[in-house]
Amino acid sequence: QHIFKHMIHMILLFVFLQPMKKLYLDDGSSLHPHLGPYFSDGQRRVDYVLAYEIEKPSSIRHRSSRFSGNKFIQRLRRSFNRSSSRAALHPKADPEIAAQEQRTDYHEDDKRFRREEFEENLLEMGLELEKDERSKIPEMGFVKIHAPWNVLCREAEFMKLKMPTKKVLNPSTHHQFFIHKVTAPLHPKIEPSRPQNVKSLCHPFSREKQHLFDLSDRDRFFDSKTRSSIVYQILKRTRCTKAKYSMALTFAVSSNRKYFGEKIGLYFAWLGVYTQMLIPAAIIGVIVFLYGCATVDDNIPSMEICDPRNNITMCPLCDHACSYWELVTACGTARASHLFDNAATVIFSIFMALWAVLFMEHWKRRQMRLNYTWDLTGFGEEEQVRHHNQRCCYISDLLFISFFHFHFMCLCVKLTCTDRMPAYLTTMVTMCFLIVLTFAIVFGVILYRISIKAALHMSNYPAARSNIRATVKTTAAIINLIIIIILDEIYGSIARWLTTLEVPKTDKSFEERLIFKAFILKFANAFTPIVYLAFFRGRLVGRPGKYLYVVGSYRMEECAHAGCLMELCIQLCITMLGKQLIQNNLFEIGIPKLKKLLRRRKSDLDSKQEEELNRTMQRYEKDHFLGPFVGLSPEYMEMIIQFGMVTLFVASFPLAPLFALLNNIIEIRLDAKKFVTELRRPIAVKAKDIGIWYNILRGLSKVAVIVNAFVISFTSDFIPRLVYQHMFSPDGTLHGFVNHSLSYFNVTDFQPGTEPVEPMHLGYKVEICRYKDYREPPWSSTPYQLSKDFWAILAARLAFVIVFQNVVMLMSDFVDWLIPDIPKDISVQMHKEKILMVEVFMKEEQGKRLAAQDNQNQDKCASPSSDNQSPPQPRSRPISHAN
């Protein structure tokens, strides 16, 4: 265990190479053979770079280990004790220290032998290596790998890579949508490597049919992405017989599809489509907001609340410390609520439900077009067995070690359901515990709001009591934001640990399980406070004289008179903007800058010396300091959470698409810069789609319809206003709606100890106060019971949810059925490609037959013939005579 522990800490670190921006001159020769990605001869390209630590010489290592601090003192002390007790023996060295030094020497030599054996195996596979141990990085060595032409051809045929043939197509150009023309100025101006309307017919590579492929430029036939992927596959299957382990490498970076691979290219394509589709949603959301601003002065309920002539006295908001208050003081909140709670909100919710379906359909069509353009139409993802990513553990005589992205596996052991059951139970228990923990933290924030509200009411400072409700809302939302950001990082690490315990069989299974766990935890973390404000706050309150209390004397908080929609809007706004500004953008910019600053402070070089060092360093030496790529899951996750905030509660925050659009415009640039300049280059991975993320998006779009239906019917006052206008209003308008929505309470019915300390706070004695609910008055036969109006409004709310959900779902399914998944021009081009490929092979076969006939004719003409030679007689068949 001690040896393997040291072996883990001294293991090789594999680093990707980022090629320079210009590799070739016009004549195809290397531009900078001494600095560029080439061997020292300036001819062979570097396709992969391995980095390892250089061991110190044995003499230096022994000297440093023997005379280092505490070890040297301990050695002297042991020698003194032993010499005093056993003076006759006179030991020359401490056996424990000698054994430790021997183990260290054995480890260093064994590590070097393993590396040399691995390099020999790479040479046997046909790769060419070149060592560089004189790098500018202390105690670091690099092995540059070059794949020759014959190795590239062999592996391309083995991997069935589709390569361009000599046949060139001219596919029909598809018409661009208006949204593409609008966003054209936002796109970077990049000159295409070849005309947009030209596409080579691709076919799986075969060495026997090299004449079919476009080999006019062998240096460019296999691009950088393909060459690195081929070398990566060779490294994965290269084994060390002495060590009996296989290497699995995982690395990353991003941007251009030909440089970073199709999987990362699909991410940026999806992000671009999502950002483009946010433009119409943002425009409609701004229109809805402006409609609320334009009609706020004509809103009758707001006018009634702001009219001081109504003189409506409200019941206290908390026990004992709070006093009676006038409804006119809630004028600002009522007017602000109308900006988001109006008739246009319902229309916008229906539009966003259809928008989500259109976005999914548009992406499917765009994805199919990319599959055709990138020659992925016949691509089938090959599942690769994932090496057991566990901590050091013995299984019989087999040792499984994982260190960062390295997985050493002696033998693949097939695990049964019984073997996996403890891991599954651990996952279930841990997930449930974390979700309950999220609920507990949200409940703690609720207690904070209740207690801070009571404390501010008891304060003697007028400034503290001037705007209590806004102070409590804002501070609680900021606390929720901080908790969400912290728990996001913790939950991401726990999800990876739980997925590792399950030992998935394939990389794809590992990724999907990790995504599912991380999404469940982060979704619950981000949306639990929002769900509470939308559907639970103000529902479990009780009534004056009979309030609901939790944790002793904490009275459950109520909504404002205009409803909880305004508080929901504030929580959404702060959470969305805070996550995007702090977690997504500030972290992506600030953390790399902070790491560079710390590295400069630790360095003994000044700015000029560091600049000179960077100028003389090789490209792979600079890339060694770049951060590792951790996958696309964090990038997708932040966009999926944003998509949920845009669609799930858009009825309460119509400006959410606008903020998402502004964030994504910055996010695309930051991701591109981060992937190109801050991270190591990834292995180019092929992918036909975005995987499980599409299913999550589709599920969120379905849930969004139900959530918005409940927000409109239960959180907002849309249904109560509609019911009052058509059932209870004498003139068919909203005049009198505020008085109708308030119930009466006799102040003599307060429980002892809950009445206000200052009953004369308003300057007059209060006998009847009002509270928002639909209950019978105290003078009725059933005082304070739920009235018939309450049940009528509840029935209307449930009916609205059912009708809204089914109508919008039906419309969404109709749009889904109406739009085909495959564009018509792509379908036609795919059919043409199949026909052209058959024609190419038929011409090849015909050419082979003609060539064979020509060879036969030439052989006949060249054979010696004489006139006296009789022509060959046909064979005679035996004739059967009938009897």
Side-chain angles (χ1 to χ4, degrees):
Q1 290 180 351
H2 179 77
I3 295 174
F4 283 110
K5 179 180 178 181
H6 282 280
M7 187 175 68
I8 291 175
H9 289 288
M10 301 296 291
I11 205 68
L12 298 175
L13 296 177
F14 284 71
V15 181
F16 248 116
L17 171 72
Q18 279 191 333
M20 302 182 71
K21 293 187 180 294
K22 292 186 178 179
L23 302 180
Y24 298 92
L25 292 172
D26 295 336
D27 58 352
S29 62
S30 62
L31 182 61
H32 300 288
H34 60 288
L35 291 179
Y38 291 88
F39 277 21
S40 58
D41 56 13
Q43 299 297 325
R44 291 174 292 175
R45 290 179 58 178
V46 177
D47 301 316
Y48 212 101
V49 176
L50 308 181
Y52 61 94
E53 295 181 6
I54 302 176
E55 311 89 23
K56 296 180 180 179
S58 298
S59 59
I60 299 177
R61 189 171 62 246
H62 291 173
R63 194 179 302 116
S64 63
S65 62
R66 290 183 181 182
F67 299 97
S68 59
N70 296 333
K71 290 185 179 180
F72 180 64
I73 297 174
Q74 292 174 4
R75 181 171 172 270
L76 286 177
R77 187 174 298 170
R78 290 195 186 108
S79 300
F80 177 78
N81 292 337
R82 293 191 179 190
S83 61
S84 61
S85 59
R86 301 181 181 181
L89 295 178
H90 297 288
K92 295 183 178 180
D94 189 344
E96 183 178 350
I97 299 297
Q100 183 177 358
E101 292 178 356
Q102 185 177 4
R103 287 196 298 268
T104 304
D105 292 342
Y106 171 78
H107 161 68
E108 298 292 347
D109 295 337
D110 184 68
K111 182 167 69 70
R112 178 168 52 85
F113 291 150
R114 289 168 186 263
R115 188 173 68 246
E116 291 177 354
E117 182 190 4
F118 182 70
E119 293 170 358
E120 291 176 1
N121 292 340
L122 293 180
L123 293 174
E124 291 179 0
M125 295 296 293
L127 298 177
E128 298 178 3
L129 310 180
E130 184 179 75
K131 283 191 176 182
D132 181 11
E133 294 187 351
R134 294 177 297 177
S135 65
K136 302 294 189 301
I137 306 175
E139 299 182 3
M140 286 300 301
F142 298 92
V143 177
K144 294 179 282 188
I145 301 177
H146 169 74
W149 174 258
N150 58 338
V151 174
L152 293 174
C153 294
R154 181 192 69 202
E155 297 298 323
E157 183 177 3
F158 176 73
M159 298 167 62
K160 299 179 181 179
L161 298 178
K162 278 190 173 184
M163 304 304 297
T165 62
K166 297 178 181 179
K167 187 68 176 178
V168 178
L169 303 176
N170 293 317
S172 59
T173 58
H174 64 285
H175 298 287
Q176 289 188 342
F177 292 105
F178 172 75
I179 193 169
H180 294 102
K181 298 179 180 179
V182 172
T183 58
L186 300 176
H187 297 164
K189 303 299 181 182
I190 301 176
E191 293 293 334
S193 57
R194 63 189 308 171
Q196 295 287 340
N197 57 347
V198 174
K199 180 180 183 295
S200 297
L201 184 64
C202 294
H203 187 265
F205 185 80
S206 174
R207 286 176 288 181
E208 296 180 355
K209 298 182 174 61
Q210 288 192 28
H211 58 280
L212 296 178
F213 297 91
D214 184 12
L215 302 180
S216 57
D217 188 356
R218 290 193 173 188
D219 291 335
R220 297 173 184 265
F221 183 71
F222 294 104
D223 55 16
S224 175
K225 174 203 67 172
T226 307
R227 297 174 73 99
S228 61
S229 298
I230 288 175
V231 176
Y232 170 71
Q233 294 297 328
I234 296 175
L235 290 173
K236 278 208 309 183
R237 67 173 186 264
T238 301
R239 297 176 177 271
C240 292
T241 54
K242 293 181 181 178
K244 294 184 181 180
Y245 64 78
S246 63
M247 291 190 172
L249 316 175
T250 310
F251 292 100
V253 178
S254 106
S255 188
N256 187 340
R257 190 264 311 184
K258 289 189 176 181
Y259 185 78
F260 298 104
E262 286 77 7
K263 188 172 184 179
I264 295 176
L266 279 175
Y267 163 72
F268 278 96
W270 174 83
L271 184 56
V273 170
Y274 173 48
T275 304
Q276 288 178 347
M277 290 296 293
L278 281 173
I279 294 176
I283 293 174
I284 301 299
V286 171
I287 292 175
V288 171
F289 178 75
L290 294 178
Y291 171 80
C293 295
T295 58
V296 67
D297 293 331
D298 300 330
N299 184 37
I300 297 176
S302 299
M303 294 170 60
E304 291 183 349
I305 293 175
C306 297
D307 190 355
R309 294 175 296 179
N310 291 329
N311 194 23
I312 299 177
T313 303
M314 304 297 294
C315 295
L317 296 175
C318 62
D319 292 342
H320 199 62
C322 302
S323 184
Y324 305 105
W325 57 286
E326 294 181 347
L327 183 61
V328 70
T329 58
C331 176
T333 305
R335 291 174 61 87
S337 297
H338 178 73
L339 302 179
F340 307 101
D341 186 8
N342 51 68
T345 305
V346 181
I347 301 174
F348 185 59
S349 300
I350 298 174
F351 167 79
M352 288 302 296
L354 298 178
W355 172 87
V357 177
L358 288 173
F359 163 61
M360 303 299 292
E361 293 301 315
H362 179 40
W363 166 243
K364 282 196 297 186
R365 292 169 63 85
R366 174 64 174 162
Q367 183 175 263
M368 200 64 201
R369 193 176 296 279
L370 292 176
N371 286 341
Y372 169 74
T373 306
W374 296 349
D375 299 304
L376 296 172
T377 51
F379 171 72
E381 294 184 2
E382 296 182 358
E383 295 278 343
Q384 297 181 355
V385 176
R386 178 180 178 84
H387 299 317
H388 294 232
N389 187 7
Q390 293 177 313
R391 61 187 183 278
C392 292
C393 58
Y394 282 94
I395 301 180
S396 302
D397 296 330
L398 308 178
L399 180 66
F400 294 79
I401 305 172
S402 86
F403 179 74
F404 289 101
H405 299 291
F406 287 84
H407 312 279
F408 296 88
M409 185 173 64
C410 300
L411 183 64
C412 184
V413 179
K414 185 176 181 181
L415 301 179
T416 62
C417 276
T418 306
D419 299 328
R420 298 177 186 271
M421 189 58 64
Y424 292 153
L425 291 176
T426 303
T427 299
M428 292 179 61
V429 172
T430 306
M431 294 279 288
C432 294
F433 170 76
L434 293 178
I435 293 175
V436 172
L437 176 64
T438 303
F439 293 161
I441 293 175
V442 173
F443 183 71
V445 177
I446 295 172
L447 295 182
Y448 161 80
R449 276 199 293 256
I450 297 172
S451 58
I452 201 67
K453 182 187 296 184
L456 290 176
H457 275 289
M458 296 172 62
S459 175
N460 295 326
Y461 296 99
R465 303 182 61 176
S466 61
N467 204 348
I468 296 175
R469 191 179 291 273
T471 304
V472 173
K473 291 177 188 176
T474 307
T475 55
I478 294 174
I479 291 174
N480 272 324
L481 171 64
I482 296 173
I483 293 172
I484 288 171
I485 293 176
I486 295 174
L487 290 183
D488 266 357
E489 303 299 325
I490 298 174
Y491 287 170
S493 301
I494 294 176
R496 180 171 289 277
W497 174 71
L498 292 175
T499 309
T500 303
L501 287 181
E502 296 177 3
V503 194
K505 295 181 180 179
T506 64
D507 286 329
K508 184 179 179 181
S509 176
F510 180 89
E511 184 180 12
E512 290 182 350
R513 294 187 186 191
L514 174 61
I515 290 171
F516 180 75
K517 294 181 183 64
F519 172 75
I520 293 296
L521 293 176
K522 293 187 177 183
F523 184 85
N525 180 38
F527 286 94
T528 299
I530 300 173
V531 170
Y532 164 75
L533 288 175
F535 304 122
F536 294 98
R537 183 177 179 180
R539 307 279 184 269
L540 307 173
V541 177
R543 60 171 179 81
K546 194 177 181 181
Y547 283 111
L548 178 64
Y549 294 90
V550 293
V551 194
S553 60
Y554 287 98
R555 194 178 101 183
M556 290 299 293
E557 53 185 350
E558 305 176 45
C559 292
H561 175 75
C564 287
L565 200 67
M566 192 61 198
E567 298 184 21
L568 176 62
C569 176
I570 294 174
Q571 180 69 51
L572 264 172
C573 182
I574 293 179
T575 302
M576 188 174 180
L577 294 180
K579 279 179 64 66
Q580 292 177 353
L581 181 64
I582 299 175
Q583 191 174 21
N584 299 350
N585 296 334
L586 190 60
F587 283 4
E588 292 182 0
I589 298 175
I591 291 179
K593 299 292 184 183
L594 183 61
K595 289 182 178 179
K596 287 184 179 179
L597 181 61
L598 293 177
R599 189 163 61 241
R600 287 180 180 178
R601 289 193 172 185
K602 290 181 180 179
S603 177
D604 297 331
L605 304 176
D606 56 18
S607 58
K608 291 184 178 180
Q609 292 175 339
E610 187 174 358
E611 184 179 353
E612 180 65 21
L613 179 63
N614 290 333
R615 191 178 62 83
T616 57
M617 288 178 68
Q618 299 281 359
R619 179 73 263 176
Y620 51 84
E621 292 174 333
K622 295 178 182 178
D623 291 352
H624 180 71
F625 294 106
L626 298 179
F629 181 73
V630 296
L632 289 172
S633 295
E635 312 299 334
Y636 274 114
M637 186 66 70
E638 63 186 52
M639 290 294 106
I640 295 299
I641 297 297
Q642 182 198 90
F643 180 82
M645 291 186 177
V646 167
T647 55
L648 290 178
F649 296 93
V650 73
S652 61
F653 191 37
L655 295 179
L658 175 63
F659 292 136
L661 174 63
L662 297 177
N663 172 80
N664 288 4
I665 293 175
I666 303 174
E667 179 74 17
I668 293 177
R669 302 299 181 186
L670 289 179
D671 282 349
K673 181 178 182 297
K674 178 181 68 175
F675 281 30
V676 173
T677 63
E678 303 292 343
L679 301 177
R680 298 172 189 167
R681 182 180 176 183
I683 288 293
V685 179
K686 285 192 173 184
K688 292 182 64 176
D689 50 40
I690 59 176
I692 193 175
W693 297 111
Y694 179 82
N695 298 329
I696 294 176
L697 285 170
R698 196 169 185 84
L700 283 177
S701 62
K702 298 293 184 183
V703 174
V705 178
I706 303 174
V707 171
N708 282 295
F710 276 94
V711 168
I712 294 171
S713 60
F714 284 91
T715 308
S716 71
D717 282 340
F718 176 76
I719 298 300
R721 289 197 300 262
L722 201 64
V723 171
Y724 174 80
Q725 188 174 0
H726 292 85
M727 293 182 61
F728 304 106
S729 176
D731 54 358
T733 64
L734 290 176
H735 287 287
F737 169 74
V738 174
N739 184 64
H740 180 264
S741 62
L742 297 176
S743 299
Y744 295 88
F745 178 76
N746 193 337
V747 297
T748 58
D749 295 334
F750 273 122
Q751 292 181 353
T754 61
E755 64 275 1
V757 179
E758 300 178 0
M760 300 294 294
H761 173 71
L762 298 178
Y764 54 88
K765 184 178 180 180
V766 178
E767 296 181 355
I768 297 292
C769 64
R770 310 291 295 274
Y771 63 99
K772 188 175 182 180
D773 206 346
Y774 292 94
R775 293 180 179 271
E776 297 291 341
W779 52 80
S780 68
S781 58
T782 56
Y784 307 126
Q785 297 296 318
L786 295 175
S787 63
K788 295 179 180 179
D789 298 347
F790 171 83
W791 300 109
I793 293 174
L794 178 62
R797 283 173 165 168
L798 295 176
F800 176 83
V801 169
I802 296 173
V803 173
F804 183 90
Q805 172 189 342
N806 286 279
V807 170
V808 175
M809 288 285 191
L810 183 62
M811 295 171 64
S812 302
D813 293 339
F814 176 74
V815 172
D816 190 2
W817 170 81
L818 190 64
I819 302 176
D821 294 342
I822 304 177
K824 186 177 180 180
D825 60 324
I826 296 298
S827 179
V828 172
Q829 291 296 329
M830 291 170 60
H831 182 66
K832 285 183 179 180
E833 280 197 9
K834 291 181 181 179
I835 296 175
L836 286 175
M837 187 59 67
V838 172
E839 291 179 357
V840 168
F841 279 99
M842 292 299 294
K843 288 181 180 179
E844 180 194 2
E845 294 297 328
Q846 186 178 2
K848 286 183 179 180
R849 287 197 301 268
L850 292 176
Q853 291 178 2
D854 292 342
N855 291 334
Q856 290 179 0
N857 293 334
Q858 291 177 3
D859 293 340
K860 289 180 180 179
C861 294
S863 61
S865 59
S866 58
D867 296 338
N868 56 359
Q869 185 178 2
S870 62
Q873 299 293 330
R875 293 184 179 181
S876 60
R877 291 185 300 173
I879 303 175
S880 60
H881 301 277
N883 294 329

